[in-house]
Amino acid sequence: MRDQEPGPGHPERRLTTKEAAELLGVKPETVYAYVSRGRLGSRRVPGGRGSTFDAQEVEALARRNRREGSGSPGSGGEQAVRTRLTLIREDRYYYRGVDATELATRHSYEEVAEWLWTGRMRHGAAFVAPRAAVEAARHAAGALPGHAGPTDRLRVAAIAAAVADPLRFDLSTDTVLGAARGLLPTLVAALPPKTSTHRDGGSLAQQLWGRLSRQPAAEAPLHVLDTALALLADHDLAVSTLAVRAAAGARAHPYAAVTAGLGVIEGPLHGAASGLAHRLVLDVLDRGSAGPVIAEELRAGRRIPGLGHRLYAQEDPRARVLFALLSEIPEAAPALAAARDIVDTTARHTPLHANVDLALAVLTASCGMEPSAGETVFAVARTAGWIAHALEEYGERPLRMRPSGVYVGPEPPRPVPE
């Protein structure tokens, strides 16, 4: 409440705007945003233009912000989100405290998804798509123009699956988990098969393979695909995951939350990066050397895809695992050599390391897949993590992800334009 007077017998310690901002760890503009949103009271300085704030109220807000994970000192007012899902530390990452690379190489994608969702290992977990959801998703995706990309189809399929689920607005954990176990195979089923002989069924990786490649699903490449799905299931608060949590914070149902993530993932700096790396690998294979290809990319002012990651000082652990598995597949040897040539050429003067996009590019290029295949793998895989984050967010205070804007436009009041 604003402009409260101290009560009798309750002496008050007042803080300036600067002192309040320092205590809260935010900018002065954010302090006034707290006031405008009713989270903090203020009082005008007699005869002055500034405001003062009750020290006890500011301290209480600071404690509350720390508990809620926002506005902590040194954060500049940026949002921090508490999560029990993924920890990234010292060039390794963990799902619920377990090394994610070990989990992904020992368990199927479905089992890893269950671990993220529930914290329990369901051995032999399998997902089955509801018939009504598959029919609706295929019908909706089939109505798209022929040039529609796979992520377009996945978005439309998620919306159609939502309409087919009368329980979509039930946000209880069991109902959301049931929806998730049906949504993942529904998304895959909405993608057109590459061959007329493809049959639905089997693991999610098996179902997805027939929609990415015309080659038979040999055991070793199929294992690489399944491992890639598990490795990509979650990666802390990537931008698409943040969009999902914001949607879940508004109590959007899980299908809508996943759709929010799919809307973000198409960016060239996120899910689409593997497609750029795929084309780069093919160019190197065509030219026989990475040198001229890298030179042309740099001359055009383009960033070399598949290299570096802001969260890892060394090689992306996901790439390391996939490269090791791909090295055991003879058919992948040329693409793998091209990827190593790209890394060695580009990192000649600057320490750069391969990331998971380059590893995905080796998989997709060596298995006869299209450049967009990596983005499809990424989107399907990350759906499991998005559901896990949505489940966490449903347990938090609604609409907590509401940053305050810092207005920098012209000062009001201005005349109404004629």
Side-chain angles (χ1 to χ4, degrees), residues 131-272:
R131 180 177 300 178
V134 171
E135 291 177 355
R138 284 177 172 168
H139 179 75
L144 292 173
H147 63 266
T151 308
D152 298 319
R153 296 181 184 277
L154 293 175
R155 267 201 312 273
V156 169
I159 295 170
V163 177
D165 184 0
L167 302 181
R168 63 186 179 277
F169 296 108
D170 182 352
L171 303 185
S172 62
T173 298
D174 288 343
T175 303
V176 172
L177 287 174
R181 292 169 184 138
L183 175 60
L184 275 162
T186 299
L187 293 177
V188 174
L191 298 171
K194 290 296 182 182
T195 65
S196 58
T197 58
H198 173 76
R199 295 289 182 269
D200 291 331
S203 69
L204 201 78
Q206 289 173 319
Q207 297 173 50
L208 184 58
W209 181 275
R211 287 165 168 81
L212 299 177
S213 176
R214 291 181 172 85
Q215 298 179 6
E219 182 179 353
L222 188 62
H223 176 58
V224 177
L225 176 60
D226 185 60
T227 303
L229 289 169
L231 290 169
L232 289 165
D234 192 44
H235 205 236
D236 195 36
L237 285 181
V239 62
S240 57
T241 303
L242 188 59
V244 168
R245 292 199 75 129
R251 296 304 182 255
H253 56 69
Y255 301 92
V258 167
T259 304
L262 289 169
V264 174
I265 209 170
E266 279 192 294
L269 301 181
H270 196 17

Side-chain angles (χ1 to χ4, degrees), residues 280-282 284-285 290 332-344 358 362:
L280 186 68
V281 168
L282 293 184
V284 173
L285 289 173
L336 192 58
R340 294 303 188 196
D341 193 8
I342 291 169
V343 173
D344 293 342
L358 189 59
V362 173

